[in-house]
Amino acid sequence: MAKLDILEFPDPRLRLKAEAVETFDADLKRLADDMLETMYAAPGIGLAATQVNLPKQLLVVDVSEAHDSPLVLVNPELREGRGTEVCQEGCLSFPGVYADVQRKEWIRVQARDVTGRSFELEADGMLAVCIQHEMDHLVGKVFVDYLSPLKRSLLLRKLDKQRRHAG
Ligand code: NI
């Protein structure tokens, strides 16, 4: 396994629309494994292939504290969503900044696993939020797009400041 480099905002490649995965082979399995390793090391709870400069419809999530519940979603499609909830979100492409975003409270998603097998997943709580956040990445959308212009500029200023401190 290998750790991958994560693109950071405002890298224009974060705005690319991911293409559907058509080949379910050993390379795809390796990519999913590398993305999980990269996500755990960051540390984070979700990562989309777009963020590692591979615009394919592939995302990984694990919201468990023990890091023992990895989920890999290939070509995910939102089938149904209900309710709303507001959660504080972060993103590995925006290190060190967080903002409240409104999402569906409950979702039903259809996806494939790395072998191409189709499955359905129902999620609520943090898992639902995380999957919606990562699915946004696959269409070139990032969480700050939901903020008002004022909130967004404050957050981006903070992001700049943190980068300068990080050297
Ligand atoms: Ni993100």
Side-chain angles (χ1 to χ4, degrees), residues 9-59:
F9 186 86
D11 194 306
R13 291 170 290 183
L14 287 170
R15 295 301 187 180
L16 294 176
K17 273 208 173 112
E19 286 182 7
V21 171
E22 280 165 13
T23 310
F24 295 83
D25 57 5
D27 286 345
L28 185 71
K29 170 84 172 83
R30 194 173 314 121
L31 172 58
D33 287 344
D34 288 348
M35 282 173 58
L36 281 166
E37 185 185 348
T38 305
M39 176 188 82
Y40 287 135
I45 58 172
L47 186 67
T50 310
Q51 290 176 278
V52 292
N53 195 25
L54 288 156
K56 292 171 186 278
Q57 291 177 23
L58 165 64
L59 63 87

Side-chain angles (χ1 to χ4, degrees), residues 6 14 46-48 51 89-94 103 130 133-134 136-137 141-143:
I6 300 175
L14 287 170
L47 186 67
Q51 290 176 278
E89 295 185 18
C91 179
L92 294 177
S93 297
F94 295 76
R103 303 276 185 187
C130 189
H133 175 116
E134 303 310 330
D136 272 356
H137 278 300
K141 195 164 183 180
V142 291
F143 77 126

Side-chain angles (χ1 to χ4, degrees), residues 75-152:
N75 301 343
E77 286 177 37
L78 186 68
R79 290 293 190 215
E80 207 181 338
R82 280 188 220 132
T84 54
E85 73 179 319
V86 175
C87 266
Q88 192 181 59
E89 295 185 18
C91 179
L92 294 177
S93 297
F94 295 76
V97 297
Y98 303 89
D100 284 345
V101 177
Q102 183 176 298
R103 303 276 185 187
K104 298 281 184 211
E105 188 176 37
W106 175 92
I107 56 168
R108 186 164 61 84
V109 172
Q110 173 152 26
R112 292 183 186 275
D113 67 14
V114 282
T115 69
R117 190 183 59 90
S118 178
F119 67 98
E120 256 194 19
L121 176 74
E122 290 180 18
D124 59 11
M126 206 199 297
L127 180 59
V129 168
C130 189
I131 290 172
Q132 290 171 84
H133 175 116
E134 303 310 330
M135 283 181 70
D136 272 356
H137 278 300
L138 301 183
V139 291
K141 195 164 183 180
V142 291
F143 77 126
V144 302
D145 297 348
Y146 292 98
L147 305 180
S148 68
L150 176 65
K151 278 193 179 157
R152 178 157 55 170

